[in-house]
Amino acid sequence: MDKLVIEGGVSLKGTTQVSGAKNSVLPLLAACLLTNERCRIKNVPNLRDVNTMIKILRSLGAYAEFSNGEVVVEAKNLKSHSADYKLVSTMRASFCVLGPLLGRLRKAKVSLPGGCIIGVRPVDLHVKGIVSLGARVEVQGGYVVVEAKSLHGANMYLGGAFGSSVLATDNVMMAAVLAKGKTVIESAACEPEVVDLANFLNKMGAKIKGHGTPCIEIEGVRHLHGTDYHVIPDRIEAGTFILATAITKGDCIIKGAFKEHLGALLDKLIEAGVKIEDADGGLRVRPRKNLKPVNITTLPYPGFPTDMQAQVMSLMSVTPGISIITEKIYPDRFMHVAELNRMGANVMREGPHAIVSGKKSLSGAPVMASDLRASAALVLAGLIAKGRTEISRIYHLDRGYENLELKLQKLGARVWREKE
Ligand code: UD1
């Protein structure tokens, strides 16, 4: 296993390029199962999760090859409708093969992904939507088994206790594109990655309207065809680099950081005093001596993203004053709190709230990565901490950040990978 070593204290300077969005590319790859023609997905980041999805597609009988940032998929002869526990349990997003398998083959068997370190993660909304389309659903031996003689369009409400669901919206959309008649999803997720998937499906011949709003309308078609598609940049990676610049009081241009995808984050950072302006193909983040604390509540898009909660906590940990961070999507997503406190932060958790008393500085320490975004938070803390930080279990980072340490090195950071 590898660990990341960081010697903190360097202000980041220069230009970096954001990679393609992980959370877009995973459903896009699954959507390739909806056609027997060849699809070419471009701007694909080389991540562990992407490679896991490619393995799943191959296990179903599809041809899938990844080279030079492009994945070619041809799902001509599917030999299986079953996605195995071994692969699905390593990545929850693999559950999004359920919708396309059902749409294409009228049956699917996908392992239940189970909970994960950031909390209980049910799939009731996926099931509700798929049942509305006319499928029978059973849970057998840890698998969700779905079958339908035919799929028909339906009106459905997909809001849950924590709001809309990204992958449930994706799954239902992918099953409904090949259903007979019209489907209307109310309380659909509005995330840019859902919009990217709908745009891809429309390029394949689907008829989807309203994506990007809470009401998506899908007119079923008989057949989808192959196409080429360029994935949007990763807004969470962009946000992580914006915060890396802010926390180190650096001056960086982040290419591929789209203002329109980052509204809630930029609003809070500007309130905190970070200078952000348009730059060629992205955003420029500039230093400000004294930032002030801000309160943050995570919400479904366009609200503040839960996937940026841990990273913003690192910034607030070194911003003198009190800030309150409230997690409304995954109330238990606070694994990073104890590790940040090991680096000298003062964060107290109270249920779904974290009360952060900002300090002047943090100190380097050996810490442990627990999940993807918590790992990114520790990297940010390490960049500003005095001395040496060693982050173990960084395989979590490799799930979602392409060449993170190389990109940070190019901006001047003293960071490298070592064997544990
Ligand atoms: C996606 C993202 C993940 C992000 C999350 C929330 C991908 C591959 N992953 O995950 O990075 O953190 O959105 O923005 O896109 N829920 C239910 N029932 C369901 C499904 C979800 O109650 O059937 C709840 C979840 O427990 C959570 C909330 O709804 O509280 C939102 O989860 P959801 O949007 O489904 O997350 P994912 O799509 O799995």
Side-chain angles (χ1 to χ4, degrees), residues 8 12 28 38 40 46 60 75 107 124 140 147 179 197 211 215 227 243 254 260 269 279 284 368 387 407:
L12 301 189
L28 286 180
R38 179 169 283 238
R40 186 186 300 274
N46 190 2
L60 297 167
K107 59 181 178 179
D124 56 309
Q140 288 173 2
E147 202 161 346
L197 174 64
H211 37 300
C215 181
T227 192
L243 283 173
I254 293 129
E260 57 270 33
L269 291 180
R284 180 173 180 189
M368 197 172 291
K407 288 185 181 182

mmCIF file with all atom_site columns, all heavy atoms in Angstrom, residues 8 12 28 38 40 46 60 75 107 124 140 147 179 197 211 215 227 243 254 260 269 279 284 368 387 407:
data_model
loop_
_atom_site.group_PDB
_atom_site.id
_atom_site.type_symbol
_atom_site.label_atom_id
_atom_site.label_alt_id
_atom_site.label_comp_id
_atom_site.label_asym_id
_atom_site.label_entity_id
_atom_site.label_seq_id
_atom_site.pdbx_PDB_ins_code
_atom_site.Cartn_x
_atom_site.Cartn_y
_atom_site.Cartn_z
_atom_site.occupancy
_atom_site.B_iso_or_equiv
_atom_site.pdbx_formal_charge
_atom_site.auth_seq_id
_atom_site.auth_comp_id
_atom_site.auth_asym_id
_atom_site.auth_atom_id
_atom_site.pdbx_PDB_model_num
ATOM 1   N N   . GLY A 1 8   ? 4.416   20.589  4.424   1.00 0.00 ? 8   GLY A N   1
ATOM 2   C CA  . GLY A 1 8   ? 3.510   21.730  4.228   1.00 0.00 ? 8   GLY A CA  1
ATOM 3   C C   . GLY A 1 8   ? 4.228   23.066  4.188   1.00 0.00 ? 8   GLY A C   1
ATOM 4   O O   . GLY A 1 8   ? 5.430   23.164  4.423   1.00 0.00 ? 8   GLY A O   1
ATOM 5   N N   . LEU A 1 12  ? 0.751   27.544  -3.252  1.00 0.00 ? 12  LEU A N   1
ATOM 6   C CA  . LEU A 1 12  ? 0.665   26.973  -4.610  1.00 0.00 ? 12  LEU A CA  1
ATOM 7   C C   . LEU A 1 12  ? 0.604   28.088  -5.650  1.00 0.00 ? 12  LEU A C   1
ATOM 8   O O   . LEU A 1 12  ? -0.089  29.091  -5.458  1.00 0.00 ? 12  LEU A O   1
ATOM 9   C CB  . LEU A 1 12  ? -0.566  26.081  -4.730  1.00 0.00 ? 12  LEU A CB  1
ATOM 10  C CG  . LEU A 1 12  ? -0.666  24.897  -3.770  1.00 0.00 ? 12  LEU A CG  1
ATOM 11  C CD1 . LEU A 1 12  ? -1.835  23.983  -4.172  1.00 0.00 ? 12  LEU A CD1 1
ATOM 12  C CD2 . LEU A 1 12  ? 0.622   24.079  -3.731  1.00 0.00 ? 12  LEU A CD2 1
ATOM 13  N N   . LEU A 1 28  ? -22.109 7.120   -17.588 1.00 0.00 ? 28  LEU A N   1
ATOM 14  C CA  . LEU A 1 28  ? -21.994 7.131   -19.060 1.00 0.00 ? 28  LEU A CA  1
ATOM 15  C C   . LEU A 1 28  ? -21.521 5.776   -19.568 1.00 0.00 ? 28  LEU A C   1
ATOM 16  O O   . LEU A 1 28  ? -22.019 5.251   -20.569 1.00 0.00 ? 28  LEU A O   1
ATOM 17  C CB  . LEU A 1 28  ? -21.001 8.199   -19.523 1.00 0.00 ? 28  LEU A CB  1
ATOM 18  C CG  . LEU A 1 28  ? -21.433 9.658   -19.448 1.00 0.00 ? 28  LEU A CG  1
ATOM 19  C CD1 . LEU A 1 28  ? -20.335 10.578  -19.946 1.00 0.00 ? 28  LEU A CD1 1
ATOM 20  C CD2 . LEU A 1 28  ? -22.669 9.893   -20.262 1.00 0.00 ? 28  LEU A CD2 1
ATOM 21  N N   . ARG A 1 38  ? -21.110 0.818   -31.227 1.00 0.00 ? 38  ARG A N   1
ATOM 22  C CA  . ARG A 1 38  ? -19.886 1.264   -30.556 1.00 0.00 ? 38  ARG A CA  1
ATOM 23  C C   . ARG A 1 38  ? -20.033 2.704   -30.016 1.00 0.00 ? 38  ARG A C   1
ATOM 24  O O   . ARG A 1 38  ? -20.504 3.584   -30.727 1.00 0.00 ? 38  ARG A O   1
ATOM 25  C CB  . ARG A 1 38  ? -18.766 1.200   -31.599 1.00 0.00 ? 38  ARG A CB  1
ATOM 26  C CG  . ARG A 1 38  ? -17.408 1.646   -31.142 1.00 0.00 ? 38  ARG A CG  1
ATOM 27  C CD  . ARG A 1 38  ? -16.382 1.268   -32.191 1.00 0.00 ? 38  ARG A CD  1
ATOM 28  N NE  . ARG A 1 38  ? -16.085 -0.145  -32.094 1.00 0.00 ? 38  ARG A NE  1
ATOM 29  C CZ  . ARG A 1 38  ? -14.852 -0.632  -31.884 1.00 0.00 ? 38  ARG A CZ  1
ATOM 30  N NH1 . ARG A 1 38  ? -13.821 0.179   -31.769 1.00 0.00 ? 38  ARG A NH1 1
ATOM 31  N NH2 . ARG A 1 38  ? -14.658 -1.924  -31.795 1.00 0.00 ? 38  ARG A NH2 1
ATOM 32  N N   . ARG A 1 40  ? -17.852 5.895   -28.013 1.00 0.00 ? 40  ARG A N   1
ATOM 33  C CA  . ARG A 1 40  ? -16.496 6.342   -27.653 1.00 0.00 ? 40  ARG A CA  1
ATOM 34  C C   . ARG A 1 40  ? -16.639 7.496   -26.652 1.00 0.00 ? 40  ARG A C   1
ATOM 35  O O   . ARG A 1 40  ? -17.217 8.530   -26.975 1.00 0.00 ? 40  ARG A O   1
ATOM 36  C CB  . ARG A 1 40  ? -15.777 6.840   -28.910 1.00 0.00 ? 40  ARG A CB  1
ATOM 37  C CG  . ARG A 1 40  ? -14.306 7.208   -28.703 1.00 0.00 ? 40  ARG A CG  1
ATOM 38  C CD  . ARG A 1 40  ? -13.756 7.814   -29.965 1.00 0.00 ? 40  ARG A CD  1
ATOM 39  N NE  . ARG A 1 40  ? -13.845 6.899   -31.098 1.00 0.00 ? 40  ARG A NE  1
ATOM 40  C CZ  . ARG A 1 40  ? -12.920 5.981   -31.397 1.00 0.00 ? 40  ARG A CZ  1
ATOM 41  N NH1 . ARG A 1 40  ? -11.829 5.891   -30.680 1.00 0.00 ? 40  ARG A NH1 1
ATOM 42  N NH2 . ARG A 1 40  ? -13.091 5.193   -32.425 1.00 0.00 ? 40  ARG A NH2 1
ATOM 43  N N   . ASN A 1 46  ? -8.126  8.605   -15.648 1.00 0.00 ? 46  ASN A N   1
ATOM 44  C CA  . ASN A 1 46  ? -7.602  7.273   -15.329 1.00 0.00 ? 46  ASN A CA  1
ATOM 45  C C   . ASN A 1 46  ? -7.682  7.052   -13.816 1.00 0.00 ? 46  ASN A C   1
ATOM 46  O O   . ASN A 1 46  ? -6.785  7.414   -13.064 1.00 0.00 ? 46  ASN A O   1
ATOM 47  C CB  . ASN A 1 46  ? -6.158  7.165   -15.821 1.00 0.00 ? 46  ASN A CB  1
ATOM 48  C CG  . ASN A 1 46  ? -5.646  5.734   -15.737 1.00 0.00 ? 46  ASN A CG  1
ATOM 49  O OD1 . ASN A 1 46  ? -6.406  4.832   -15.349 1.00 0.00 ? 46  ASN A OD1 1
ATOM 50  N ND2 . ASN A 1 46  ? -4.404  5.521   -16.065 1.00 0.00 ? 46  ASN A ND2 1
ATOM 51  N N   . LEU A 1 60  ? -19.947 -8.512  -18.166 1.00 0.00 ? 60  LEU A N   1
ATOM 52  C CA  . LEU A 1 60  ? -21.286 -8.696  -18.746 1.00 0.00 ? 60  LEU A CA  1
ATOM 53  C C   . LEU A 1 60  ? -21.205 -9.119  -20.214 1.00 0.00 ? 60  LEU A C   1
ATOM 54  O O   . LEU A 1 60  ? -22.220 -9.392  -20.852 1.00 0.00 ? 60  LEU A O   1
ATOM 55  C CB  . LEU A 1 60  ? -22.074 -7.385  -18.636 1.00 0.00 ? 60  LEU A CB  1
ATOM 56  C CG  . LEU A 1 60  ? -22.344 -6.899  -17.201 1.00 0.00 ? 60  LEU A CG  1
ATOM 57  C CD1 . LEU A 1 60  ? -22.831 -5.459  -17.201 1.00 0.00 ? 60  LEU A CD1 1
ATOM 58  C CD2 . LEU A 1 60  ? -23.360 -7.799  -16.518 1.00 0.00 ? 60  LEU A CD2 1
ATOM 59  N N   . ALA A 1 75  ? -21.237 -3.060  -26.755 1.00 0.00 ? 75  ALA A N   1
ATOM 60  C CA  . ALA A 1 75  ? -21.997 -4.076  -25.998 1.00 0.00 ? 75  ALA A CA  1
ATOM 61  C C   . ALA A 1 75  ? -22.871 -4.872  -26.959 1.00 0.00 ? 75  ALA A C   1
ATOM 62  O O   . ALA A 1 75  ? -24.091 -4.940  -26.796 1.00 0.00 ? 75  ALA A O   1
ATOM 63  C CB  . ALA A 1 75  ? -22.827 -3.393  -24.920 1.00 0.00 ? 75  ALA A CB  1
ATOM 64  N N   . LYS A 1 107 ? -34.093 -7.634  -18.076 1.00 0.00 ? 107 LYS A N   1
ATOM 65  C CA  . LYS A 1 107 ? -33.801 -8.294  -16.792 1.00 0.00 ? 107 LYS A CA  1
ATOM 66  C C   . LYS A 1 107 ? -32.393 -7.895  -16.324 1.00 0.00 ? 107 LYS A C   1
ATOM 67  O O   . LYS A 1 107 ? -31.525 -7.558  -17.156 1.00 0.00 ? 107 LYS A O   1
ATOM 68  C CB  . LYS A 1 107 ? -33.915 -9.813  -16.913 1.00 0.00 ? 107 LYS A CB  1
ATOM 69  C CG  . LYS A 1 107 ? -33.009 -10.437 -17.936 1.00 0.00 ? 107 LYS A CG  1
ATOM 70  C CD  . LYS A 1 107 ? -33.249 -11.929 -17.969 1.00 0.00 ? 107 LYS A CD  1
ATOM 71  C CE  . LYS A 1 107 ? -32.356 -12.542 -19.049 1.00 0.00 ? 107 LYS A CE  1
ATOM 72  N NZ  . LYS A 1 107 ? -32.481 -13.972 -19.147 1.00 0.00 ? 107 LYS A NZ  1
ATOM 73  N N   . ASP A 1 124 ? -33.814 2.307   -2.060  1.00 0.00 ? 124 ASP A N   1
ATOM 74  C CA  . ASP A 1 124 ? -35.275 2.258   -2.199  1.00 0.00 ? 124 ASP A CA  1
ATOM 75  C C   . ASP A 1 124 ? -35.792 3.139   -3.342  1.00 0.00 ? 124 ASP A C   1
ATOM 76  O O   . ASP A 1 124 ? -36.762 2.791   -4.012  1.00 0.00 ? 124 ASP A O   1
ATOM 77  C CB  . ASP A 1 124 ? -35.934 2.664   -0.869  1.00 0.00 ? 124 ASP A CB  1
ATOM 78  C CG  . ASP A 1 124 ? -35.472 4.027   -0.386  1.00 0.00 ? 124 ASP A CG  1
ATOM 79  O OD1 . ASP A 1 124 ? -34.243 4.257   -0.322  1.00 0.00 ? 124 ASP A OD1 1
ATOM 80  O OD2 . ASP A 1 124 ? -36.322 4.879   -0.089  1.00 0.00 ? 124 ASP A OD2 1
ATOM 81  N N   . GLN A 1 140 ? -32.676 -11.280 -3.632  1.00 0.00 ? 140 GLN A N   1
ATOM 82  C CA  . GLN A 1 140 ? -32.352 -12.712 -3.450  1.00 0.00 ? 140 GLN A CA  1
ATOM 83  C C   . GLN A 1 140 ? -30.868 -12.838 -3.191  1.00 0.00 ? 140 GLN A C   1
ATOM 84  O O   . GLN A 1 140 ? -30.053 -12.433 -4.040  1.00 0.00 ? 140 GLN A O   1
ATOM 85  C CB  . GLN A 1 140 ? -32.667 -13.496 -4.729  1.00 0.00 ? 140 GLN A CB  1
ATOM 86  C CG  . GLN A 1 140 ? -34.130 -13.695 -5.016  1.00 0.00 ? 140 GLN A CG  1
ATOM 87  C CD  . GLN A 1 140 ? -34.324 -14.333 -6.400  1.00 0.00 ? 140 GLN A CD  1
ATOM 88  O OE1 . GLN A 1 140 ? -33.368 -14.650 -7.097  1.00 0.00 ? 140 GLN A OE1 1
ATOM 89  N NE2 . GLN A 1 140 ? -35.573 -14.501 -6.794  1.00 0.00 ? 140 GLN A NE2 1
ATOM 90  N N   . GLU A 1 147 ? -36.979 -7.873  -13.338 1.00 0.00 ? 147 GLU A N   1
ATOM 91  C CA  . GLU A 1 147 ? -37.409 -8.500  -14.585 1.00 0.00 ? 147 GLU A CA  1
ATOM 92  C C   . GLU A 1 147 ? -38.689 -7.807  -15.049 1.00 0.00 ? 147 GLU A C   1
ATOM 93  O O   . GLU A 1 147 ? -39.504 -7.389  -14.232 1.00 0.00 ? 147 GLU A O   1
ATOM 94  C CB  . GLU A 1 147 ? -37.690 -9.987  -14.336 1.00 0.00 ? 147 GLU A CB  1
ATOM 95  C CG  . GLU A 1 147 ? -37.621 -10.765 -15.595 1.00 0.00 ? 147 GLU A CG  1
ATOM 96  C CD  . GLU A 1 147 ? -37.430 -12.267 -15.319 1.00 0.00 ? 147 GLU A CD  1
ATOM 97  O OE1 . GLU A 1 147 ? -37.096 -12.649 -14.171 1.00 0.00 ? 147 GLU A OE1 1
ATOM 98  O OE2 . GLU A 1 147 ? -37.645 -13.028 -16.232 1.00 0.00 ? 147 GLU A OE2 1
ATOM 99  N N   . ALA A 1 179 ? -38.306 2.381   -22.661 1.00 0.00 ? 179 ALA A N   1
ATOM 100 C CA  . ALA A 1 179 ? -39.664 1.936   -22.270 1.00 0.00 ? 179 ALA A CA  1
ATOM 101 C C   . ALA A 1 179 ? -40.687 2.468   -23.285 1.00 0.00 ? 179 ALA A C   1
ATOM 102 O O   . ALA A 1 179 ? -40.389 3.390   -24.042 1.00 0.00 ? 179 ALA A O   1
ATOM 103 C CB  . ALA A 1 179 ? -39.990 2.452   -20.871 1.00 0.00 ? 179 ALA A CB  1
ATOM 104 N N   . LEU A 1 197 ? -25.325 12.896  -18.389 1.00 0.00 ? 197 LEU A N   1
ATOM 105 C CA  . LEU A 1 197 ? -25.843 11.591  -18.803 1.00 0.00 ? 197 LEU A CA  1
ATOM 106 C C   . LEU A 1 197 ? -27.018 11.762  -19.774 1.00 0.00 ? 197 LEU A C   1
ATOM 107 O O   . LEU A 1 197 ? -27.092 11.083  -20.804 1.00 0.00 ? 197 LEU A O   1
ATOM 108 C CB  . LEU A 1 197 ? -26.280 10.776  -17.576 1.00 0.00 ? 197 LEU A CB  1
ATOM 109 C CG  . LEU A 1 197 ? -26.974 9.452   -17.894 1.00 0.00 ? 197 LEU A CG  1
ATOM 110 C CD1 . LEU A 1 197 ? -26.037 8.488   -18.614 1.00 0.00 ? 197 LEU A CD1 1
ATOM 111 C CD2 . LEU A 1 197 ? -27.520 8.786   -16.629 1.00 0.00 ? 197 LEU A CD2 1
ATOM 112 N N   . HIS A 1 211 ? -33.851 17.869  -18.158 1.00 0.00 ? 211 HIS A N   1
ATOM 113 C CA  . HIS A 1 211 ? -32.689 17.505  -17.333 1.00 0.00 ? 211 HIS A CA  1
ATOM 114 C C   . HIS A 1 211 ? -32.022 18.792  -16.836 1.00 0.00 ? 211 HIS A C   1
ATOM 115 O O   . HIS A 1 211 ? -31.908 19.767  -17.576 1.00 0.00 ? 211 HIS A O   1
ATOM 116 C CB  . HIS A 1 211 ? -31.704 16.618  -18.091 1.00 0.00 ? 211 HIS A CB  1
ATOM 117 C CG  . HIS A 1 211 ? -31.530 16.942  -19.538 1.00 0.00 ? 211 HIS A CG  1
ATOM 118 N ND1 . HIS A 1 211 ? -32.562 16.906  -20.432 1.00 0.00 ? 211 HIS A ND1 1
ATOM 119 C CD2 . HIS A 1 211 ? -30.434 17.314  -20.237 1.00 0.00 ? 211 HIS A CD2 1
ATOM 120 C CE1 . HIS A 1 211 ? -32.120 17.240  -21.633 1.00 0.00 ? 211 HIS A CE1 1
ATOM 121 N NE2 . HIS A 1 211 ? -30.821 17.509  -21.539 1.00 0.00 ? 211 HIS A NE2 1
ATOM 122 N N   . CYS A 1 215 ? -37.850 18.172  -12.754 1.00 0.00 ? 215 CYS A N   1
ATOM 123 C CA  . CYS A 1 215 ? -38.857 17.398  -13.496 1.00 0.00 ? 215 CYS A CA  1
ATOM 124 C C   . CYS A 1 215 ? -38.282 16.984  -14.856 1.00 0.00 ? 215 CYS A C   1
ATOM 125 O O   . CYS A 1 215 ? -38.113 17.817  -15.743 1.00 0.00 ? 215 CYS A O   1
ATOM 126 C CB  . CYS A 1 215 ? -40.130 18.230  -13.660 1.00 0.00 ? 215 CYS A CB  1
ATOM 127 S SG  . CYS A 1 215 ? -41.396 17.309  -14.545 1.00 0.00 ? 215 CYS A SG  1
ATOM 128 N N   . THR A 1 227 ? -22.372 6.462   -30.312 1.00 0.00 ? 227 THR A N   1
ATOM 129 C CA  . THR A 1 227 ? -21.985 7.864   -30.510 1.00 0.00 ? 227 THR A CA  1
ATOM 130 C C   . THR A 1 227 ? -20.651 8.154   -29.833 1.00 0.00 ? 227 THR A C   1
ATOM 131 O O   . THR A 1 227 ? -20.146 7.327   -29.069 1.00 0.00 ? 227 THR A O   1
ATOM 132 C CB  . THR A 1 227 ? -23.089 8.812   -29.961 1.00 0.00 ? 227 THR A CB  1
ATOM 133 O OG1 . THR A 1 227 ? -22.825 10.132  -30.406 1.00 0.00 ? 227 THR A OG1 1
ATOM 134 C CG2 . THR A 1 227 ? -23.152 8.809   -28.449 1.00 0.00 ? 227 THR A CG2 1
ATOM 135 N N   . LEU A 1 243 ? -9.770  25.090  -3.305  1.00 0.00 ? 243 LEU A N   1
ATOM 136 C CA  . LEU A 1 243 ? -9.514  25.131  -1.853  1.00 0.00 ? 243 LEU A CA  1
ATOM 137 C C   . LEU A 1 243 ? -8.029  24.964  -1.549  1.00 0.00 ? 243 LEU A C   1
ATOM 138 O O   . LEU A 1 243 ? -7.516  25.560  -0.594  1.00 0.00 ? 243 LEU A O   1
ATOM 139 C CB  . LEU A 1 243 ? -10.336 24.048  -1.149  1.00 0.00 ? 243 LEU A CB  1
ATOM 140 C CG  . LEU A 1 243 ? -11.810 24.412  -0.985  1.00 0.00 ? 243 LEU A CG  1
ATOM 141 C CD1 . LEU A 1 243 ? -12.591 23.244  -0.438  1.00 0.00 ? 243 LEU A CD1 1
ATOM 142 C CD2 . LEU A 1 243 ? -11.972 25.609  -0.059  1.00 0.00 ? 243 LEU A CD2 1
ATOM 143 N N   . ILE A 1 254 ? -7.197  27.524  -12.444 1.00 0.00 ? 254 ILE A N   1
ATOM 144 C CA  . ILE A 1 254 ? -7.707  26.153  -12.496 1.00 0.00 ? 254 ILE A CA  1
ATOM 145 C C   . ILE A 1 254 ? -8.541  26.026  -13.756 1.00 0.00 ? 254 ILE A C   1
ATOM 146 O O   . ILE A 1 254 ? -9.667  26.529  -13.834 1.00 0.00 ? 254 ILE A O   1
ATOM 147 C CB  . ILE A 1 254 ? -8.491  25.828  -11.207 1.00 0.00 ? 254 ILE A CB  1
ATOM 148 C CG1 . ILE A 1 254 ? -7.475  25.824  -10.058 1.00 0.00 ? 254 ILE A CG1 1
ATOM 149 C CG2 . ILE A 1 254 ? -9.139  24.448  -11.268 1.00 0.00 ? 254 ILE A CG2 1
ATOM 150 C CD1 . ILE A 1 254 ? -7.834  26.625  -8.914  1.00 0.00 ? 254 ILE A CD1 1
ATOM 151 N N   . GLU A 1 260 ? -20.496 27.882  -13.461 1.00 0.00 ? 260 GLU A N   1
ATOM 152 C CA  . GLU A 1 260 ? -21.906 27.485  -13.410 1.00 0.00 ? 260 GLU A CA  1
ATOM 153 C C   . GLU A 1 260 ? -22.120 26.155  -12.683 1.00 0.00 ? 260 GLU A C   1
ATOM 154 O O   . GLU A 1 260 ? -23.227 25.860  -12.259 1.00 0.00 ? 260 GLU A O   1
ATOM 155 C CB  . GLU A 1 260 ? -22.544 27.467  -14.810 1.00 0.00 ? 260 GLU A CB  1
ATOM 156 C CG  . GLU A 1 260 ? -21.883 26.591  -15.820 1.00 0.00 ? 260 GLU A CG  1
ATOM 157 C CD  . GLU A 1 260 ? -20.776 27.305  -16.624 1.00 0.00 ? 260 GLU A CD  1
ATOM 158 O OE1 . GLU A 1 260 ? -20.090 28.194  -16.080 1.00 0.00 ? 260 GLU A OE1 1
ATOM 159 O OE2 . GLU A 1 260 ? -20.589 26.941  -17.767 1.00 0.00 ? 260 GLU A OE2 1
ATOM 160 N N   . LEU A 1 269 ? -17.017 30.740  -0.621  1.00 0.00 ? 269 LEU A N   1
ATOM 161 C CA  . LEU A 1 269 ? -15.605 31.137  -0.564  1.00 0.00 ? 269 LEU A CA  1
ATOM 162 C C   . LEU A 1 269 ? -15.469 32.651  -0.700  1.00 0.00 ? 269 LEU A C   1
ATOM 163 O O   . LEU A 1 269 ? -14.637 33.273  -0.023  1.00 0.00 ? 269 LEU A O   1
ATOM 164 C CB  . LEU A 1 269 ? -14.808 30.420  -1.665  1.00 0.00 ? 269 LEU A CB  1
ATOM 165 C CG  . LEU A 1 269 ? -14.654 28.912  -1.448  1.00 0.00 ? 269 LEU A CG  1
ATOM 166 C CD1 . LEU A 1 269 ? -13.857 28.279  -2.574  1.00 0.00 ? 269 LEU A CD1 1
ATOM 167 C CD2 . LEU A 1 269 ? -14.001 28.601  -0.098  1.00 0.00 ? 269 LEU A CD2 1
ATOM 168 N N   . ALA A 1 279 ? -10.760 33.289  -15.651 1.00 0.00 ? 279 ALA A N   1
ATOM 169 C CA  . ALA A 1 279 ? -9.457  33.233  -16.313 1.00 0.00 ? 279 ALA A CA  1
ATOM 170 C C   . ALA A 1 279 ? -9.652  32.412  -17.568 1.00 0.00 ? 279 ALA A C   1
ATOM 171 O O   . ALA A 1 279 ? -10.689 31.772  -17.732 1.00 0.00 ? 279 ALA A O   1
ATOM 172 C CB  . ALA A 1 279 ? -8.430  32.576  -15.399 1.00 0.00 ? 279 ALA A CB  1
ATOM 173 N N   . ARG A 1 284 ? -9.365  31.889  -11.746 1.00 0.00 ? 284 ARG A N   1
ATOM 174 C CA  . ARG A 1 284 ? -8.131  32.219  -11.037 1.00 0.00 ? 284 ARG A CA  1
ATOM 175 C C   . ARG A 1 284 ? -8.465  32.462  -9.565  1.00 0.00 ? 284 ARG A C   1
ATOM 176 O O   . ARG A 1 284 ? -9.398  33.196  -9.244  1.00 0.00 ? 284 ARG A O   1
ATOM 177 C CB  . ARG A 1 284 ? -7.504  33.484  -11.640 1.00 0.00 ? 284 ARG A CB  1
ATOM 178 C CG  . ARG A 1 284 ? -6.222  33.870  -10.951 1.00 0.00 ? 284 ARG A CG  1
ATOM 179 C CD  . ARG A 1 284 ? -5.532  35.002  -11.664 1.00 0.00 ? 284 ARG A CD  1
ATOM 180 N NE  . ARG A 1 284 ? -4.297  35.354  -10.981 1.00 0.00 ? 284 ARG A NE  1
ATOM 181 C CZ  . ARG A 1 284 ? -3.565  36.403  -11.269 1.00 0.00 ? 284 ARG A CZ  1
ATOM 182 N NH1 . ARG A 1 284 ? -3.922  37.211  -12.242 1.00 0.00 ? 284 ARG A NH1 1
ATOM 183 N NH2 . ARG A 1 284 ? -2.463  36.652  -10.594 1.00 0.00 ? 284 ARG A NH2 1
ATOM 184 N N   . MET A 1 368 ? -4.794  8.878   8.727   1.00 0.00 ? 368 MET A N   1
ATOM 185 C CA  . MET A 1 368 ? -5.290  7.780   7.915   1.00 0.00 ? 368 MET A CA  1
ATOM 186 C C   . MET A 1 368 ? -6.477  8.229   7.060   1.00 0.00 ? 368 MET A C   1
ATOM 187 O O   . MET A 1 368 ? -7.414  8.834   7.584   1.00 0.00 ? 368 MET A O   1
ATOM 188 C CB  . MET A 1 368 ? -5.735  6.649   8.841   1.00 0.00 ? 368 MET A CB  1
ATOM 189 C CG  . MET A 1 368 ? -5.857  5.361   8.094   1.00 0.00 ? 368 MET A CG  1
ATOM 190 S SD  . MET A 1 368 ? -6.159  4.025   9.195   1.00 0.00 ? 368 MET A SD  1
ATOM 191 C CE  . MET A 1 368 ? -4.647  3.862   10.084  1.00 0.00 ? 368 MET A CE  1
ATOM 192 N N   . GLY A 1 387 ? 5.470   21.226  9.082   1.00 0.00 ? 387 GLY A N   1
ATOM 193 C CA  . GLY A 1 387 ? 6.134   19.921  9.177   1.00 0.00 ? 387 GLY A CA  1
ATOM 194 C C   . GLY A 1 387 ? 5.565   18.899  8.222   1.00 0.00 ? 387 GLY A C   1
ATOM 195 O O   . GLY A 1 387 ? 4.920   19.231  7.224   1.00 0.00 ? 387 GLY A O   1
ATOM 196 N N   . LYS A 1 407 ? -0.104  16.725  -10.066 1.00 0.00 ? 407 LYS A N   1
ATOM 197 C CA  . LYS A 1 407 ? -0.694  18.047  -10.322 1.00 0.00 ? 407 LYS A CA  1
ATOM 198 C C   . LYS A 1 407 ? -0.288  19.038  -9.221  1.00 0.00 ? 407 LYS A C   1
ATOM 199 O O   . LYS A 1 407 ? 0.017   20.188  -9.500  1.00 0.00 ? 407 LYS A O   1
ATOM 200 C CB  . LYS A 1 407 ? -2.219  17.942  -10.406 1.00 0.00 ? 407 LYS A CB  1
ATOM 201 C CG  . LYS A 1 407 ? -2.722  17.260  -11.677 1.00 0.00 ? 407 LYS A CG  1
ATOM 202 C CD  . LYS A 1 407 ? -4.245  17.292  -11.750 1.00 0.00 ? 407 LYS A CD  1
ATOM 203 C CE  . LYS A 1 407 ? -4.745  16.598  -13.004 1.00 0.00 ? 407 LYS A CE  1
ATOM 204 N NZ  . LYS A 1 407 ? -6.217  16.658  -13.136 1.00 0.00 ? 407 LYS A NZ  1
#
